[in-house]
Amino acid sequence: ASERRQSSLLIAVALAAIGVRIFGRGLLDRIPRTSVAAPAFALMGVALFGASYAASAFVLALCGTLYGVGVGYAHPIHLALVSDLAVPSLRAKGTSLLYLTMDIAWFAVPLGLGFLGGITGLPDAFRAAAFVTLGAAVGVHLLWLRVGRARSMEKASEPGLAE
């Protein structure tokens, strides 16, 4: 029974992320990307927090769906933001650093959750991950806000671009 509950979370994450990338990609063209990056991380944090209290496979699947929507938007948004906001000479390095960060997270998070879960129990490990993710949402918001402002000021100071 426990395996089915855990599978409901992971399957829902995957299906929601795939669904967002297939059916929800138009949203990224209609609203500023910087306004979606942090909320996508925050949604992931809220979903992890909810999953830490889930008592059924249905609630885990619901939390997995929310997490998957967050991941489904966060990944392409951050790639696009690097392309949008990085100076051309640093775009390749920025994209590479972003992928490295994501790859490290895909490796480290399951190990960290497993280790911490063995000490505190999995629900507390999920809560800790939720708070880290919510903190990352704040960091992401501040980062893209700062980078976006810097790029706007650069563009405004370039000859022929200021109006």
Side-chain angles (χ1 to χ4, degrees):
S2 177
E3 292 82 16
R4 274 188 243 149
R5 287 185 60 212
Q6 293 166 357
S7 294
S8 67
L9 175 78
L10 297 176
I11 289 168
V13 168
L15 290 175
I18 291 167
V20 162
R21 292 194 187 149
I22 292 171
F23 302 110
R25 65 181 184 262
L27 177 67
L28 300 179
D29 296 328
R30 291 193 300 269
I31 60 175
R33 292 181 180 118
T34 53
S35 66
V36 179
F41 268 43
L43 183 60
M44 292 163 56
V46 168
L48 286 172
F49 191 75
S52 75
Y53 288 100
S56 69
F58 175 78
V59 174
L60 274 175
L62 179 62
C63 292
T65 300
L66 293 175
Y67 191 90
V69 168
V71 167
Y73 280 117
H75 184 126
I77 283 172
H78 285 89
L79 288 172
L81 283 170
V82 168
S83 178
D84 291 348
L85 299 176
V87 294
S89 63
L90 294 177
R91 282 188 189 141
K93 287 181 182 181
T95 302
S96 178
L97 183 59
L98 179 62
Y99 268 115
L100 175 64
T101 304
M102 284 191 246
D103 290 343
I104 288 171
W106 283 115
F107 175 76
V109 169
L111 289 176
L113 281 175
F115 177 75
L116 189 58
I119 296 169
T120 66
L122 210 46
D124 285 338
F126 266 62
R127 288 179 199 119
F131 287 115
V132 168
T133 305
L134 290 168
V138 172
V140 161
H141 174 71
L142 295 174
L143 168 76
W144 291 124
L145 189 66
R146 182 176 177 196
V147 171
R149 284 184 184 155
R151 283 295 285 156
S152 294
M153 290 187 337
E154 269 180 32
K155 286 183 180 181
S157 67
E158 290 178 17
L161 293 179
E163 309 227 355

